[in-house]
Amino acid sequence: MNAKHSRLRTLTFILVAFMLGCNEFMVVGILSDIAKSYHASLSSIGILVTAFALVYAISTPILTTLTSHWNRRTLLLLLMGIFFASNTLTALAPSLGWLFAARIMTALVAGTIITMINLFASIVTPFDKRPMVMAWVGAGFSIASVVGVPIGSAIAAWLSWHASFWMVSGLTVIVFGLLVWLIPSEKPEATGSVIEQLQLLKDHKVLMGIGITIAVMGVQYTFYTYIRTIITSVLGYNISTLNWLLFMLGVMSIIGNQIAGMIAKNNGFKKLPIVFSLLIIACLSLGVALQNKYTGILVLAILCTLTIIYGTTIQLGFMDEAAKNYPQSLALATSLISIFSNVGISLGSFSASTTVRFFNLNYVGYVSAIYAVIALLISLKLRKATRNDFK
């Protein structure tokens, strides 16, 4: 495949991540619209985020390991078809029960889709370009928060929240066509039994990477689950300003992804404790910062940047460890970020809901700081464990 097609293939990988990010994150921006349409409380609809993340986290390793002997191209296209059907069902959902069923169906396949995309991206990309390509695939999710979430919110305000999901279904058709054209048909990695693949999860460095992933996503979703409410009700910005601020926060996430790629190029594990120390400071300052609309949005922007930076280093660490010691587990290694990010999202969204129920949104920063401290402590141990890998 020539250079032009290689760039287009990389762009397609980014579009898949963007599509999945729109589907997952867009709900955060339209929670209040969904609650209103079904005459439900905001806290009960917030459980939709938790349920999606839990199903995502549980189903991804199961589906990834059970389908390890399938042709990867065939599997990816099949999962994309299921994703299209479930997202369209979300758009059509006539009741809250149908909505939950559609979201669970989507969660069942979304994790394995991004696993296949990361796997293909790592296989077809030259080794020296992997950090930045993987960072850009990760940026697809951030771009979804920059463009997809504000557009989803705007469409929900202009038409309805159902129309926001119709937009994702249209994008899915385009992406499916590109994948049919550009994805190679070969089966790119060694396979093993389910038990053999799960040996990866006994590795102490992998377990520490998993712990960091859960903790950082706990940080992010403790404040991000109710980001729209924080911006409007706590900071006092009006609805017309909301989408511009969400756009700005998404831009900061993209910047975080690019920093992640640069850090991962040269022993990112050495630098992660610095990132998490800064994250703790930002979390602890959030409660005070929210007393003012300008300092509040500034600290939120810093948080959106810092919570992204860890990802590329941890993702490549998982894949490199699998390639060296567990080649039969490469697909599973590729899925770990997706799996355990959603465990962290579940914890974070539950923490946010609990904080709102018993205190108020001004306290979410202090709860986030607990997760950030955990990430720092684990990263210090991981830096020591990986020291010999970079000598």
Side-chain angles (χ1 to χ4, degrees):
M1 183 171 285
N2 59 37
K4 181 179 179 181
H5 280 192
S6 295
R7 288 193 294 270
L8 183 56
R9 186 163 55 190
T10 299
L11 177 61
T12 301
F13 295 154
I14 297 169
L15 280 174
V16 174
F18 173 77
M19 174 197 76
L20 295 171
C22 285
N23 176 275
E24 182 171 359
F25 303 145
M26 198 165 57
V27 173
V28 174
I30 58 177
L31 276 178
S32 57
D33 299 288
I34 295 174
K36 184 178 179 181
S37 69
Y38 293 119
H39 307 289
S41 68
L42 186 61
S43 61
S44 65
I45 295 297
I47 299 299
L48 187 64
V49 177
T50 305
F52 183 96
L54 281 174
V55 173
Y56 190 119
I58 293 169
S59 66
T60 300
I62 295 173
L63 191 57
T64 299
T65 53
L66 291 179
T67 59
S68 62
H69 292 83
W70 289 37
N71 178 279
R72 293 300 178 189
R73 184 177 188 274
T74 301
L75 175 62
L76 177 59
L77 296 178
L78 174 62
L79 294 174
M80 285 289 295
I82 297 173
F83 177 87
F84 172 80
S86 60
N87 183 81
T88 302
L89 180 59
T90 303
L92 293 169
S95 67
L96 190 58
W98 276 102
L99 178 67
F100 268 84
R103 294 299 290 163
I104 288 172
M105 183 178 173
T106 304
L108 285 170
V109 300
T112 307
I113 290 174
I114 196 60
T115 295
M116 295 299 99
I117 291 300
N118 282 325
L119 182 59
F120 277 115
S122 69
I123 293 297
V124 302
T125 303
F127 186 83
D128 61 324
K129 295 181 179 179
R130 277 201 315 159
M132 291 310 298
V133 169
M134 299 301 289
W136 271 111
V137 173
F141 287 95
S142 299
I143 295 170
S145 67
V146 172
V147 180
V149 173
I151 288 178
S153 298
I155 292 174
W158 180 40
L159 298 172
S160 74
W161 66 263
H162 300 272
S164 302
F165 285 98
W166 280 115
M167 175 192 71
V168 176
S169 289
L171 178 60
T172 305
V173 173
I174 296 171
V175 170
F176 184 90
L178 289 171
L179 290 173
V180 170
W181 176 29
L182 297 168
I183 291 296
S185 59
E186 68 268 17
K187 187 177 182 180
E189 88 286 349
T191 60
S193 68
V194 172
I195 298 299
E196 290 172 333
Q197 292 177 66
L198 293 178
Q199 294 300 310
L200 176 70
L201 300 181
K202 293 182 178 180
D203 188 283
H204 70 289
K205 286 186 282 189
V206 170
L207 291 174
M208 284 188 281
I210 288 170
I212 288 173
T213 300
I214 293 171
V216 176
M217 296 310 294
V219 172
Q220 183 174 0
Y221 270 78
T222 299
F223 70 86
Y224 200 74
T225 298
Y226 293 105
I227 190 69
R228 181 174 179 174
T229 305
I230 291 174
I231 291 173
T232 55
S233 300
V234 178
L235 296 179
Y237 289 97
N238 58 42
I239 296 297
S240 62
T241 308
L242 171 65
N243 287 334
W244 288 108
L245 292 176
L246 289 175
F247 182 91
M248 183 270 291
L249 294 179
V251 169
M252 298 307 294
S253 294
I254 294 175
I255 292 172
N257 271 294
Q258 298 313 295
I259 296 172
M262 291 184 286
I263 285 178
K265 281 185 176 180
N266 184 25
N267 191 3
F269 295 107
K270 184 178 180 180
K271 304 175 183 70
L272 286 184
I274 299 172
V275 174
F276 296 143
S277 296
L278 295 173
L279 185 58
I280 292 170
I281 295 171
C283 289
L284 291 175
S285 66
L286 183 60
V288 175
L290 289 177
Q291 304 303 313
N292 178 276
K293 65 192 303 183
Y294 301 109
T295 58
I297 203 66
L298 174 63
V299 172
L300 287 173
I302 293 171
L303 284 169
C304 286
T305 305
L306 292 173
T307 53
I308 296 295
I309 293 174
Y310 83 101
T312 303
T313 294
I314 297 297
Q315 177 77 304
L316 291 175
F318 286 151
M319 296 171 68
D320 289 343
E321 191 69 16
K324 287 187 294 184
N325 300 312
Y326 312 93
Q328 75 282 0
S329 304
L330 185 57
L332 180 60
T334 309
S335 73
L336 293 180
I337 284 278
S338 296
I339 295 166
F340 291 101
S341 288
N342 279 277
V343 175
I345 290 172
S346 298
L347 289 174
S349 61
F350 177 77
S351 298
S353 298
T354 303
T355 302
V356 169
R357 184 169 299 172
F358 292 104
F359 301 98
N360 59 58
L361 284 170
N362 294 83
Y363 287 85
V364 294
Y366 304 116
V367 179
S368 292
I370 296 172
Y371 291 116
V373 169
I374 294 171
L376 172 61
L377 294 175
I378 299 174
S379 70
L380 290 170
K381 292 186 176 182
L382 185 57
R383 181 176 66 180
K384 183 177 180 180
T386 58
R387 189 172 297 160
N388 292 332
D389 296 343
F390 297 93
K391 288 184 178 180

